Amino acid sequence: MQFQIKRDILLKSLAAAHNIIEKKNTLPILSNVLLEIKNKKLNIVTTDLDLIFHDEISDLKVDQEGSTTTSAMVLYDLLRKLPSNLNVIFDLQSENKLNISAENSKFNLLCLPVDNFPNFTDDFKSNGINLDRKKFLSLLNKTKISMSNDETRHYLNGIYIHSTVSNKKSYLTGVATDSHRLSSSSIPVENLDNFKSFILPKKTVFQLCNLLQENEKKVFLNTSDTKIQFKIGNSKIISKIIDGKFPDYHKVVPKNNNKTLLVNAKDFIHSIERVTTVSIDRKEGVKLTLGKDYIQLFVNSSSSGEGKEVLKANYNSEDLTISFNSRYLLDIASEIEDEKLVMNLNDSVSPVLIQDKLDKQSYFVIMPMKI
C-alpha cells in the first residue's frame, strides 16, 4: 500500500474517526483505524463495536492499493502536529510497519493485521429518507440536553426518533427525557409512511452532531432491524439502536397551564448565571418569584452566600414562587430561538411547559424543585 495525501484532508477525517474509539479497550485492534486503498480511494474506518465511522476520500494520489490498521490516536496526533497543507506519504513496509513521511519528518508506526479488524456487512434494505442537515442538527441539539445518564433505565439514555402527524403534515420527531425534564423537537419530512421508530444512543448523538456541524451535505437516513445508518456526503455513521420501549411522553406534557410568563431569553440566561455564581453546588437550585411585570431570581447557598436579581417580565396571574435546577433552566433557555422565552405554569409543584415562538414544533417540560 502506497499513497500520498494532503495533511489537512486526512486530519479532518481522522478528527471524526478517532472520537469513536473508547479510551479503555480490551481488544487492541479496536484502538486502531483501518486504512484501505481500493478503487483509487482511501477508506477510513473506526469502531467500538456499537458504533462505526466510515469515510471515503478520493482526493489523493495512489501508487499501490492495499490495507492496514494502525493506532488512530497516534496517527491523529502526529498529523495534528505537522504543518498545514503538507503532502504526507504513506508506505506500508510490512504487515506490521507503516512508514509515514512529510517534508523533513519520518515516522514508522506499528500495525496490526487487517484480518483482526471487525468485519461489517450492511443490511440496510429500506429506501431511507433524506433530511435537511441544519434542521436535523437543530432537532438533535434541542433534544440531547434532556438525555438521561441513569444506567438502570437504559432506554432513556438517548433520543427517541419517531414519526408524528400534525395538521395533516408528517414530521420526524425527537424526544428525550431524564424524568426531571423533557425536550421535544420536530422537523417536516415527507414519505414517513413506513418509518420505524428507534432510540438513538447518546454517544451516537454526540458524534452525529459533530459530523453535521463539519459538513454541508444532505443527510440520508437508513434503518435495519438493529442498526441505523446516517450518510453525510462521503461519510457514514452506523450505530446500534437502544433495545427498549420509550415511555409514553405525552402523559407528562402539561395541557392546561394557563399562567404565562414572557421574559427576554438572553437576559434570563445572564441573570441565572450571575445569581448562581454564589452557589458552589449548582444543584441547590434557583428560586423564582413571579410578579406582574418582573421576576425575582434568588439563590441561597448554605456554604457560600446568596444572590438576588430582579428582571423585567410579563406575567398574567397572581404572584407565584417556584424553584428549578438552574442548569436545566440554562440548557433550555439556550435553545430558544426567539427573543422571548414563554413559560406556561400551573402551580409551584406541577410540570412547567416552555415554548419558543419562532419554533412552534419544539417544546420543553421541566419539573420544579423543592427548596
Side-chain angles (χ1 to χ4, degrees), residues 37-273:
I37 298 285
K38 198 176 178 182
N39 303 325
K40 302 284 184 190
K41 290 174 182 173
L42 170 63
N43 292 299
I44 291 169
V45 185
T46 52
T47 184
D48 65 358
L49 296 182
D50 289 331
L51 187 58
I52 307 158
F53 173 80
H54 179 276
D55 198 16
E56 187 182 81
I57 299 172
S58 50
D59 189 4
L60 76 162
K61 181 174 176 278
V62 175
D63 293 316
Q64 192 181 345
E65 294 196 340
S67 57
T68 189
T69 82
T70 191
S71 169
M73 191 61 75
V74 172
L75 184 56
Y76 171 70
D77 224 20
L78 187 155
L79 289 168
R80 200 166 53 88
K81 290 168 182 172
L82 284 174
S84 188
N85 216 29
L86 268 192
N87 281 320
V88 185
I89 298 164
F90 286 74
D91 187 3
L92 187 62
Q93 302 286 309
S94 66
E95 194 179 51
N96 55 11
K97 186 174 156 188
L98 177 65
N99 180 267
I100 300 170
S101 53
E103 211 168 61
N104 302 320
S105 307
K106 275 191 169 57
F107 306 92
N108 283 313
L109 298 192
L110 294 177
C111 304
L112 287 172
V114 174
D115 297 347
N116 295 353
F117 201 81
N119 193 6
F120 306 103
T121 51
D122 285 356
D123 51 353
F124 299 100
K125 298 182 183 74
S126 66
N127 296 329
I129 53 170
N130 284 304
L131 302 173
D132 180 284
R133 181 192 68 88
K134 273 190 178 175
K135 287 178 181 175
F136 186 54
L137 178 59
S138 171
L139 180 150
L140 294 177
N141 282 333
K142 288 181 180 186
T143 49
K144 73 181 183 186
I145 56 173
S146 297
M147 292 187 296
S148 174
N149 293 313
D150 184 357
E151 293 303 325
T152 60
R153 292 190 291 173
H154 66 283
Y155 50 84
L156 297 182
N157 298 342
I159 298 176
Y160 176 48
I161 308 277
H162 56 297
S163 62
T164 53
V165 176
S166 176
N167 299 325
K168 295 182 180 175
K169 270 190 178 179
S170 62
Y171 291 89
L172 189 72
T173 299
V175 178
T177 181
D178 61 4
S179 73
H180 302 292
R181 54 183 167 169
L182 179 144
S183 311
S184 173
S185 185
S186 301
I187 57 173
V189 177
E190 291 176 9
N191 306 322
L192 284 175
D193 297 343
N194 301 313
F195 186 78
K196 195 178 170 187
S197 58
F198 58 88
I199 305 170
L200 197 61
K202 182 184 295 181
K203 183 176 175 180
T204 309
V205 170
F206 287 120
Q207 298 306 330
L208 201 48
C209 287
N210 290 339
L211 205 57
L212 291 168
Q213 273 164 343
E214 295 293 319
N215 219 307
E216 293 296 317
K217 302 286 193 307
K218 270 199 163 185
V219 184
F220 184 71
L221 164 62
N222 223 334
T223 59
S224 73
D225 290 339
T226 56
K227 288 186 191 137
I228 189 91
Q229 176 179 266
F230 296 91
K231 276 188 187 177
I232 306 137
N234 293 322
S235 302
K236 278 192 296 195
I237 278 188
I238 300 165
S239 170
K240 284 185 180 175
I241 51 182
I242 292 175
D243 184 23
K245 192 176 187 313
F246 200 81
D248 182 2
Y249 63 92
H250 295 101
K251 289 179 180 174
V252 299
V253 181
K255 302 286 189 290
N256 303 309
N257 284 10
N258 49 21
K259 296 173 182 176
T260 307
L261 170 77
L262 260 84
V263 61
N264 183 289
K266 281 186 179 168
D267 292 348
F268 190 48
I269 290 167
H270 296 151
S271 190
I272 295 169
E273 285 173 340

